[in-house]
Every structure is written in C-alpha cells, then in structure tokens.
Amino acid sequence: MEAVLPDLQAVILCEDVRAELNGQHSIIGVIEVIPAPALPIGFFKLCLWTRWCGGMGSFNQRSVIQSSDDEGPIAEVSISFQLKEMDSQATNVHFFGGLQFQKYGTYHVEIYLEEELRMRFPLSVVRVPMPPSGIGS
C-alpha cells in the first residue's frame, strides 16, 4: 500500500511536556518569545509538541531551530513514527537539551516531514531590562 502524507495538525513550543497516567499530555510553559536581560541565555530543555493526522504509512519528522543569522541550525532532532490508518494520529515530542541562544534576534523553528518543510515559524529572543537588584532575593 502506498503511503499518504499526513497533515501537520498542531505545533507548540514549550518548556515541558508531561505524559499523564491517562495517556494525555500536559503542556507546560508555552513559549511565544524568549525575554533575555543578558546573553547567552540557556535552556536545560525546550520541547516541541507536534500532532500529525490524515495520513498513512511510516514517516520521519525532523525539527530544527535555525540561528538568528540563518547560518545553520543551533539544534536539530529527528523521530520516526507510523500512522496505521487514515483516521490515526501521531503525537511527537522533541526535546532540545542544553540549548543556548547566543544573540538577540529572530530564530526560526522548522518542521520537516520526509525532508519536506511543512512549517516554519519565528522565535524571537528579545532584550529586556535587568530586574532591579534586591528584588526576588
């Protein structure tokens, strides 16, 4: 049987994804922008949650975070998955570990399926003022 490429139903960049006892996912700390008073800013872990549906076959998903100057990826992970029926869905969680952003600017998150770009969205690292000393201590 010939493979049918699935649709990318949803993508969420977040701080963590937890698998609950009932099999559902809890998405923690949805990231729209990265505020940084100083650089580099590091993350122990960033997660990319994706959901695929409407396809059938075996596939490879590759997720990339491109540098702000488009000189190449600062992080890249791949995962293989299967959709056994057209009504199936696959939820993938990619973990980017030990990630550092060295510059302010707009990075790009890219999701590929079988080496075809399926989604690209901006991720901005923006300068914010340093909190006044003594606050939070």
Side-chain angles (χ1 to χ4, degrees), residues 24-93:
Q24 301 297 316
H25 288 148
S26 290
I27 296 171
I28 297 149
V30 174
I31 296 174
E32 297 176 36
V33 65
I34 297 173
L39 293 175
I41 185 166
F43 288 86
F44 175 69
K45 174 173 60 173
L46 279 182
C47 301
L48 189 66
W49 182 94
T50 58
R51 165 82 47 84
W52 299 90
C53 63
M56 191 166 54
S58 296
F59 305 100
N60 186 59
Q61 174 187 335
R62 184 169 58 95
S63 300
V64 178
I65 300 177
Q66 294 286 353
S67 66
S68 62
D69 48 17
D70 284 329
E71 287 187 4
I74 64 167
E76 185 173 337
V77 291
S78 293
I79 191 169
S80 294
F81 67 97
Q82 259 192 337
L83 294 167
K84 294 183 181 190
E85 303 172 343
M86 288 298 292
D87 290 338
S88 298
Q89 52 189 343
T91 301
N92 298 329
V93 179

Side-chain angles (χ1 to χ4, degrees), residues 11 19 21 35 37 40 51 72-73 79 87 89 97 106 109 118 124 135-136:
V11 176
L21 291 175
R51 165 82 47 84
I79 191 169
D87 290 338
Q89 52 189 343
T106 303
V109 179
R118 298 301 290 267
S124 296
I135 292 182

